[in-house]
Amino acid sequence: MSQIYELDKIAITVKSHRLLKVLLKENPKLEEIMRGSKNETEALVGVKHWILDQIKDKPDAINYYEKEIESGISFKTLDWSDIAAIRILDYIDNAGREFIDLNLRGQLAVSNPIKLLWLGVNKGTGGAKPDFFEDMIHLFRQLMSKETKKEYTREQLKEWMDRFPSGLDPRIVKLHEENRERILNIIIDKIDEGEINDSKYKFDLELGRTKKLEIALEWWKESTFHLRFAVRSPDLLNEFLGYSLDPDTMKILYEAEKKGIPFFVNPYYLSLLHVRVPYFAVGADLAIRHYVVYSRQLIDEFGFLIAWEKEDKVEPGKPNAAGWILPSHHNVHRRYPEVAILIPDTVGRACGGLCSSCQRMYDFQNGYLNFNLNKLKPNETWPERLERLMEYFENDSQLRDILITGGDALMSSDKSLEQILDAIYRMAKRKKQKNTNRPGDKKYAEIKRIRLGTRLPVYLPQRITENLVSTLKSFKEKATVIGIKQFVIQTHFESPMEITPEVEEAVKKLINAGWIVTNQHVFTTASSRRGHNLKLREVMNDIGVLPYYTFTVKGYMENYFNFAPNARSIQESIEEKVIGNLSESSIELTKNLAEDAENIIANINSIRKAENIPFLASDRNVLNLPGVGKSLTFRVIGITRYGRRVLEFQHDSTRSHSPIIEQMKKVIIIESKSISEYLNQLEEIGENKEEYTDVYGYSIGETEKRMPIYEYPESDTSITKEFTNLEIPDTDFATVED
Ligand code: SF4
């Protein structure tokens, strides 16, 4: 007998017993089925008949249950109780399925909730944990309409938003200035005491303290200062934070250091963290803090991390998980036909900080991405390699979009960046010219969009210098002539507190250079608090940034701490983001925002005013699937005895994919955290759990439509349907389930 079935013999705890009793008391019919069934199979059949009987007069619910997307019905139109019925039926249809649980380093997980109930009722075993029973109690309350879905007024949503100040709030600006002064005084002391010896950042001996501070305030405006004085150890982190970190946190950080997890927090970003917490901003900096301070789970898992993105594992000459053949091990990543990511061999392989739930932690683990800024400078073979990489883009039939990232695209020096942009320009020109010799239906896609993936406008707004801006501006001017139409800085704001006057200024410069700035938000526990993302979207719009994606945290157990369940993301999009929804005519207007980047603030404001909305809900809430691409189209088909949900995802059918998806099974994700654990964590950070209870009911997701602004510009040429650089193996494709 496999180990997994041994678990069925485990006695349930007293707390589980109590919760089971509540469940049975509230649902006499369920109790009758459980007590009257001689074995688990009878229990499964009994529950199935009962639930089918419940929805027998609900054709939409039955249709959705049986045919889902193909039914053309949106789950949003179904009764709340029908959604519960569908989940129970899905649990039954998938009873006994085993999954490789990558949260548990590949152990097997099984979903069989009705069996666990039957074992609990009749034998007191099954080993199901209290979180499992909590989830089941809410499921049956939803089924019996004892819990209904709440709708929130605009006033309520405003009240939630107003809980979170932004970094532009004058009171916060003052606090940040205090922090800046504290950090600078520590640095001045260290220079005076000879602890820091730097050829650039030093003082004449005779200078007084006031003068030194004045000079240091000028240094603060330079990105090189922040990179030079970035904190690289727990002790320094604590010292810069006025020794405000508690001993438990320090213990974790020391362990992180021992494990080899890099530390890199620059003084500017550190100044966004509160040391003195004011009454009006309690908990306001948490989303930032949780990005800087590592969790116990990350430390335990570091060293055992596996790449979430299967398609990022590359062997040149062999197809990756999405079927694409790529030119080098590390420099090009590709999921979709139209776009590939370029990771240069430059300082761009570092970042302005290390986000604790970084999607590329695996690359930090294996040392490919790091913070050895001097060693990352490009060597003499890079220009040649860059040309070779450009040939890949030039000779690909579908690629029209390059996303330069890293690490972080703007960590590259201006010179390196100019070299990369110049290579792209020459490649795009050649690609266009070559097309003139191709027949009408055999033309290759020409380059239409350039994106720079960077968190430096947030981590280090000082990096957005006049020189950088003029490089970007002149690139845009000449690239426009050869038909490139979209110029995008793709950044990553986590919190409204990150939007400071320095950031506002940096974004203004980028916009004035004719580049639009879009945001990819990561929906961590702290940033998933009611109203947090609403406020972030509003303040981003204020400074001219467009929300692009709200991503579920990727990864396995290492990101347990920051992970907010997909149910919460769906809840946020349906209950909160709605206040930024646009009418069809305004959606059309957003099309032109990218082409008029210089006036984006005025254009956003006129749409907001016309629609009377606080922000444009231009982002889609999605998960980046470990396979090919983004989606939030899922159904909860199972639950483990720990109460962690099993989700079955379908690919986003609204965009083009590698043809490999025809062969792929649906993607299974086992979440690392139960809904109860998530709610308890929210409570620990000061939230009222009652405000979130609906979250249990969101067991179905649908990927939102993409805004026209994010579509590629229409092409004057018809592009060949033939794919190059693609090899689809003739096998049934694996998913995480196999
Ligand atoms: S900026 Fe992006 S790549 Fe860099 S550490 Fe943060 S999440 Fe990772």
Side-chain angles (χ1 to χ4, degrees):
M1 188 186 284
S2 88
Q3 248 181 347
I4 211 152
Y5 292 100
E6 289 290 304
L7 298 174
D8 289 347
K9 295 182 188 160
I10 296 175
I12 58 173
T13 63
V14 175
K15 189 166 181 198
S16 291
H17 265 295
R18 293 216 169 107
L19 291 167
L20 177 58
K21 245 181 166 173
V22 172
L23 178 68
L24 298 180
K25 190 161 180 241
E26 290 183 1
N27 299 283
K29 177 74 185 167
L30 181 67
E31 179 163 20
E32 185 194 315
I33 296 171
M34 290 298 144
R35 296 211 186 277
S37 301
K38 285 202 256 346
N39 52 43
E40 74 199 57
T41 313
E42 278 189 28
L44 280 166
V45 172
V47 176
K48 186 161 186 171
H49 284 156
W50 172 38
I51 302 300
L52 283 174
D53 191 53
Q54 293 263 109
I55 57 168
K56 67 174 187 305
D57 300 324
K58 305 276 195 71
D60 276 4
I62 293 175
N63 238 332
Y64 194 93
Y65 159 59
E66 286 171 352
K67 301 203 207 90
E68 198 175 56
I69 293 178
E70 301 77 46
S71 69
I73 298 163
S74 165
F75 84 92
K76 294 173 194 164
T77 63
L78 299 179
D79 286 345
W80 196 231
S81 63
D82 293 345
I83 291 172
I86 291 170
R87 174 144 60 112
I88 296 168
L89 292 171
D90 282 344
Y91 280 174
I92 293 169
D93 294 344
N94 292 284
R97 259 176 91 177
E98 290 177 0
F99 309 97
I100 292 172
D101 188 350
L102 295 174
N103 293 292
L104 304 177
R105 298 191 194 162
Q107 278 180 33
L108 274 189
V110 67
S111 170
N112 207 339
I114 303 298
K115 177 182 177 187
L116 292 182
L117 290 182
W118 183 82
L119 284 170
V121 171
N122 293 292
K123 304 192 173 184
T125 63
K129 304 287 178 194
D131 290 359
F132 166 86
F133 289 106
E134 295 262 12
D135 203 315
M136 296 304 277
I137 287 172
H138 287 284
L139 174 59
F140 280 90
R141 284 182 187 160
Q142 184 182 354
L143 178 77
M144 305 314 287
S145 300
K146 285 184 195 144
E147 271 176 12
T148 49
K149 190 168 99 58
K150 295 180 200 71
E151 306 240 323
Y152 296 97
T153 60
R154 203 183 154 91
E155 288 65 41
Q156 173 65 78
L157 297 177
K158 275 293 287 167
E159 193 263 303
W160 284 336
M161 274 172 92
D162 291 343
R163 292 176 184 177
F164 299 100
S166 86
L168 294 173
D169 181 323
R171 298 169 302 176
I172 299 292
V173 172
K174 200 155 177 311
L175 269 178
H176 287 167
E177 282 168 2
E178 258 177 41
N179 292 341
R180 180 181 65 189
E181 218 163 288
R182 186 191 66 249
I183 293 169
L184 285 177
N185 273 313
I186 296 170
I187 292 173
I188 293 170
D189 286 344
K190 286 187 184 295
I191 294 174
D192 284 351
E193 286 155 17
E195 208 182 303
I196 293 175
N197 254 316
D198 189 272
S199 55
K200 183 172 177 196
Y201 298 108
K202 58 184 179 190
F203 300 112
D204 287 341
L205 285 175
E206 70 280 3
L207 288 182
R209 191 74 183 194
T210 320
K211 190 67 198 159
K212 282 179 183 167
L213 189 60
E214 244 174 59
I215 293 172
L217 282 166
E218 286 303 307
W219 293 346
W220 189 268
K221 296 176 189 159
E222 298 172 10
S223 62
T224 45
F225 169 79
H226 293 277
L227 294 174
R228 165 68 183 85
F229 291 101
V231 164
R232 288 173 182 263
S233 75
D235 284 325
L236 206 54
L237 180 68
N238 200 15
E239 189 179 350
F240 275 26
L241 286 174
Y243 297 101
S244 59
L245 296 177
D246 67 65
D248 292 344
T249 307
M250 286 307 291
K251 192 166 167 263
I252 290 179
L253 295 182
Y254 287 134
E255 284 179 46
E257 189 180 34
K258 243 200 210 138
K259 260 290 183 84
I261 304 178
F263 280 81
F264 196 81
V265 196
N266 77 65
Y268 163 78
Y269 198 66
L270 209 50
S271 75
L272 307 186
L273 287 183
H274 291 153
V275 170
R276 179 174 74 76
V277 182
Y279 72 95
F280 59 87
V282 177
D285 66 346
L286 268 190
I288 303 177
R289 191 169 286 268
H290 290 178
Y291 247 36
V292 169
V293 176
Y294 302 138
S295 68
R296 150 88 17 237
Q297 291 80 8
L298 174 61
I299 291 148
D300 290 346
E301 296 300 311
F302 198 80
F304 302 95
L305 305 183
I306 45 169
W308 172 266
E309 305 285 10
K310 293 202 289 182
E311 61 275 33
D312 285 357
K313 280 197 212 145
V314 177
E315 270 192 68
K318 290 193 184 165
N320 71 358
W324 302 110
I325 295 175
L326 297 167
S328 81
H329 267 107
H330 291 294
N331 301 105
V332 179
H333 289 184
R334 187 170 181 187
R335 279 156 222 156
Y336 301 109
E338 305 95 342
V339 54
I341 290 172
L342 176 70
I343 302 179
D345 285 345
T346 64
V347 186
R349 278 190 288 143
C351 291
L354 178 55
C355 312
S356 64
S357 47
C358 174
Q359 54 173 342
R360 303 208 174 109
M361 198 57 91
Y362 171 76
D363 278 324
F364 281 103
Q365 176 186 262
N366 65 24
Y368 177 66
L369 299 181
N370 60 65
F371 294 93
N372 300 328
L373 303 188
N374 285 329
K375 287 197 188 148
L376 287 176
K377 286 189 180 142
N379 64 24
E380 59 290 347
T381 61
W382 166 239
E384 265 172 50
R385 178 185 281 248
L386 176 60
E387 288 310 319
R388 269 211 326 277
L389 298 172
M390 287 301 108
E391 283 168 22
Y392 179 80
F393 284 86
E394 182 181 334
N395 298 320
D396 189 278
S397 64
Q398 304 299 318
L399 284 173
R400 68 203 67 176
D401 180 357
I402 302 187
L403 170 56
I404 307 162
T405 168
D408 190 305
L410 293 186
M411 283 295 282
S412 290
S413 66
D414 288 353
K415 190 167 154 245
S416 295
L417 193 65
E418 231 172 295
Q419 186 183 41
I420 296 163
L421 291 175
D422 189 49
I424 291 174
Y425 170 76
R426 285 184 281 107
M427 173 275 292
K429 201 166 166 189
R430 288 194 304 268
K431 197 170 191 188
K432 191 176 168 69
Q433 273 159 0
K434 277 190 181 173
N435 251 356
T436 52
N437 300 325
R438 293 191 178 107
D441 57 346
K442 296 274 179 242
K443 298 212 184 284
Y444 280 15
E446 294 171 9
I447 302 296
K448 293 288 167 206
R449 182 189 290 169
I450 308 286
R451 287 184 280 170
L452 297 176
T454 172
R455 186 157 149 75
L456 286 198
V458 188
Y459 262 145
L460 194 51
Q462 293 83 346
R463 172 67 183 96
I464 316 303
T465 57
E466 293 304 335
N467 195 46
L468 170 70
V469 166
S470 96
T471 300
L472 295 177
K473 193 171 178 165
S474 50
F475 172 75
K476 181 180 172 178
E477 276 161 13
K478 65 179 187 180
T480 307
V481 178
I482 58 162
I484 300 179
K485 292 205 162 136
Q486 296 173 339
F487 301 83
V488 184
I489 304 287
Q490 198 164 285
T491 195
H492 172 176
F493 284 102
E494 270 307 287
S495 162
M497 290 284 283
E498 289 173 333
I499 299 182
T500 62
E502 289 92 331
V503 168
E504 186 177 26
E505 184 58 32
V507 170
K508 196 164 151 197
K509 285 186 193 156
L510 293 168
I511 290 169
N512 286 342
W515 289 59
I516 61 162
V517 184
T518 62
N519 191 58
Q520 308 207 114
H521 174 63
V522 179
F523 200 53
T524 58
T525 302
S527 70
S528 73
R529 286 172 290 172
R530 288 282 199 193
H532 192 276
N533 206 6
L534 298 184
K535 183 60 177 257
L536 175 61
R537 291 183 183 104
E538 181 183 55
V539 199
M540 284 197 296
N541 271 189
D542 289 346
I543 64 166
V545 177
L546 288 169
Y548 181 29
Y549 281 114
T550 291
F551 282 120
T552 302
V553 172
K554 285 193 264 187
Y556 303 101
M557 207 38 108
E558 72 276 11
N559 282 341
Y560 168 92
F561 185 80
N562 275 334
F563 176 78
N566 287 286
R568 173 67 190 120
S569 183
I570 289 284
Q571 182 186 38
E572 199 273 343
S573 71
I574 290 180
E575 295 179 7
E576 294 164 57
K577 189 166 70 172
V578 279
I579 51 164
N581 278 357
L582 295 161
S583 63
E584 285 303 319
S585 57
S586 289
I587 288 177
E588 272 309 294
L589 284 179
T590 64
K591 258 188 193 166
N592 307 322
L593 289 174
E595 265 135 59
D596 189 14
E598 290 85 344
N599 294 310
I600 199 161
I601 298 181
N603 292 336
I604 288 174
N605 284 342
S606 89
I607 299 174
R608 288 200 286 186
K609 200 167 163 215
E611 297 271 348
N612 188 23
I613 51 177
F615 55 80
L616 316 187
S618 52
D619 58 317
R620 301 197 295 166
N621 290 33
V622 290
L623 167 69
N624 237 324
L625 295 174
V628 263
K630 306 164 184 70
S631 172
L632 205 58
T633 303
F634 71 85
R635 268 157 76 161
V636 174
I637 58 148
I639 183 165
T640 71
R641 64 190 80 225
Y642 290 91
R644 295 190 286 114
R645 291 179 169 194
V646 181
L647 280 56
E648 186 174 72
F649 277 82
Q650 300 209 18
H651 294 100
D652 171 13
S653 56
T654 64
R655 71 165 297 165
S656 63
H657 287 279
S658 156
I660 208 163
I661 61 160
E662 310 298 334
Q663 294 182 21
M664 288 182 122
K665 293 178 187 168
K666 291 178 180 174
V667 178
I668 296 287
I669 303 287
I670 305 177
E671 296 193 330
S672 59
K673 188 186 272 175
S674 69
I675 302 281
S676 302
E677 285 173 301
Y678 168 68
L679 292 177
N680 290 339
Q681 204 185 349
L682 283 178
E683 195 169 44
E684 269 168 37
I685 57 174
E687 294 295 280
N688 175 1
K689 283 203 281 189
E690 298 303 312
E691 289 179 353
Y692 295 83
T693 42
D694 286 10
V695 71
Y696 279 105
Y698 287 96
S699 56
I700 300 182
E702 280 167 10
T703 313
E704 297 155 286
K705 272 202 207 139
R706 176 192 294 266
M707 283 275 167
I709 183 179
Y710 301 124
E711 299 295 346
Y712 290 110
E714 274 170 31
S715 178
D716 331 322
T717 48
S718 65
I719 299 161
T720 176
K721 300 221 167 7
E722 278 165 33
F723 282 40
T724 50
N725 294 316
L726 181 76
E727 197 179 303
I728 309 283
D730 204 13
T731 53
D732 197 12
F733 243 74
T735 70
V736 284
E737 187 183 359
D738 298 297

